[in-house]
Every structure is written in C-alpha cells, then in structure tokens.
Amino acid sequence: MNRARRLFSLLPLTAVAVTTLLAACSDSNSLAENDPGIAANSGSTQTMVVPPGERVFGRSYGEWTAAWWQWAYGIPVPSNPLFDETGSLCSSGQSGPVWFLAGVFNATGTAVRNACVVPAGKVLLVPVLNGECSNVEGNGTTEAEWRACAAAQMDLAVDVAANLDGAPVPDIASYRVQSPRAYRLTLPDNNILQLFGHDAPAGSCMPTGPGCTRYRSFADGYYVMLAPPSPGPHTIHVHGAIPTFGFTLDVTYHLKVQSPGRDSH
C-alpha cells in the first residue's frame, strides 16, 4: 500500500519536445553555445529533446532526476506543486537554469493546469511517469534494495506517452532513466512523506538509531529534458498508467513561457 500511495502522489506530469515549441528561440541557441549537452534549435523534434546520453549543465539525465526528487520532497505540502491543480504553484522552489515540471496528487490523477508561467531561457525537465524508493518508506536499507524496488514499480507502467502542442515524443521508452546512485534527501516540516504517514521529521536524518542515518532514495522513471521553449503559450499533455496499483495519470499543462527580460510573476 505504501508503494501505491507513493506512486499516486508523485507520478509527475509531463512532457516533451516538438517542432513548434522551439521555433526561432534565440535563448535556446545561446544556451547551446554555453552547454554542449543542449543542441541549438533547428526546428525538429530530434534536436529539441536532449538525448538521454547527453549531459546538461554538467549533469546526466539520471543526476537531474535525483535533483528533481530532492526538489519535490523539499517543498512543504501547502506550497508543493504536486498538490496544485491549477499551475499557480509551478514556480515553487525553482532555481537555476533547469525548470522542473511536476505531477498531481488528487483523487483522480488528472489535472488541467492553466496558470503556470515559465521564465524565458529555462531548460525543462519533464517527468512523464516516475517513482522512487527510500529508507524513509521502509523499502530496505541498501542501495541495491532501493534500486530493485524503484525498477519493479516502473516495470509495471503502461501507456506512457507525452506530447507538446499536439506532437508526440517518439520512442518514449528510450527516456526511461535511473538515478546513477542513491541520493540524500532533506525534508521540510509538513512534508509529503509525513502526509503519507511516515515518521519523517524535518531535516536529513532518520528519527531512529544512534547517530545520523541519512534519508536516502533511488529513482526510476520516464523523463524528457527540453531545450528552452520559445516565448508564448504551449500545451503539454502526459499520460501513463500502472494498472497493478489502479492508477492512471492524465495531465495537461497550458503553460506560458515569458519573453526575455520579464519577471516570471
């Protein structure tokens, strides 16, 4: 039950790369010059999506997925984008050159987000369907156990798909990635794991045992990194299911990418 509950809350939402998204985006071109992991926009889906083997700002896909979970677990429930059905909280906890999109935690696994505004020039990390396992949730005490747990739940995923402005991301299966190693978590008060009934006080240490046993987790899932989108409106839709847990995710973002030089709020 703990695993089903974890997936239901954190199966994030979102997205892709597509022809119309990056048309004539000068910010993506300048980023490409600064980071070889981001191809300059040439108007094709293949060059808009960062290939899974590439590095972005010095990090691999897997390392960015670990950063995503640290971000998601590091935000208190009242301001956490995973509980936001409108998109108004999409800027919560964001920093740096990569902007994280998120899933939804509600009774239906569906949401239509119309209020998300993304600053210009941000690379998007879009988890389509993902999960994690950790020592906090009782998924074992070793990295091998967490890795096996996370892989087992993602092996159950079906009907995984993402599209942007009506165009699908091809070969989505090739974008399933794992964190390269277990990563540490730092939790706030009123955190997601506490909501699920876990003994997970704020900080970075387990509440039991001598000394400090760090909160640690391992991630597995489907993610797409997208070079900075062109300014203006974009529609991102993701879908996926894990029938074993009775879970279906279907989320649409109608987001706005701002023009350079504008405040995101």
Side-chain angles (χ1 to χ4, degrees):
M1 180 61 182
N2 284 344
R3 183 183 299 176
R5 193 163 47 189
R6 175 178 59 253
L7 279 165
F8 183 71
S9 68
L10 291 176
L11 280 180
L13 47 128
T14 185
V16 284
V18 162
T19 306
T20 57
L21 180 64
L22 295 179
C25 179
S26 60
D27 291 297
S28 66
N29 291 334
S30 63
L31 270 174
E33 293 172 1
N34 294 327
D35 193 311
I38 304 175
N41 169 37
S42 65
S44 70
T45 300
Q46 288 79 4
T47 59
M48 294 171 200
V49 178
V50 180
E54 297 291 340
R55 301 180 72 84
V56 176
F57 298 109
R59 292 183 178 183
S60 67
Y61 254 74
E63 289 168 328
W64 279 113
T65 68
W68 186 94
W69 282 100
Q70 291 169 329
W71 167 78
Y73 274 159
I75 303 173
V77 169
S79 56
N80 198 301
L82 287 161
F83 297 86
D84 169 28
E85 296 185 354
T86 69
S88 62
L89 297 179
C90 75
S91 64
S92 184
Q94 303 282 3
S95 64
V98 176
W99 188 275
F100 299 138
L101 296 184
V104 65
F105 176 52
N106 61 16
T108 64
T110 64
V112 177
R113 289 183 165 125
N114 297 318
C116 181
V117 178
V118 179
K122 297 291 185 180
V123 172
L124 301 183
L125 176 61
V126 289
V128 181
L129 193 67
N130 66 353
E132 58 82 38
C133 288
S134 71
N135 56 355
V136 194
E137 297 151 291
N139 302 133
T141 59
T142 68
E143 181 169 321
E145 290 175 301
W146 307 325
R147 180 190 296 268
C149 170
Q153 62 189 20
M154 278 299 104
D155 287 345
L156 300 173
V158 299
D159 299 329
V160 180
N163 67 73
L164 172 67
D165 295 338
V169 176
D171 191 21
I172 195 68
S174 68
Y175 290 88
R176 180 178 171 181
V177 296
Q178 298 78 36
S179 55
R181 63 192 68 84
Y183 48 88
R184 293 179 179 180
L185 298 170
T186 299
L187 304 177
D189 288 319
N190 197 5
N191 62 69
I192 291 174
L193 292 171
Q194 289 173 326
L195 180 68
F196 296 159
H198 297 292
D199 188 6
S204 57
C205 300
M206 297 281 285
T208 59
C212 175
T213 298
R214 300 283 186 179
Y215 293 135
R216 298 180 72 203
S217 174
F218 193 93
D220 194 324
Y222 297 84
Y223 301 81
V224 173
M225 295 197 80
L226 184 63
S230 59
H234 297 287
T235 297
I236 292 171
H237 175 253
V238 297
H239 181 89
I242 300 185
T244 301
F245 300 146
F247 177 79
T248 298
L249 177 77
D250 194 275
V251 178
T252 300
Y253 263 115
H254 297 295
L255 61 80
K256 177 184 177 182
V257 177
Q258 292 198 315
S259 299
R262 290 182 59 88
D263 192 325
S264 62
H265 300 287

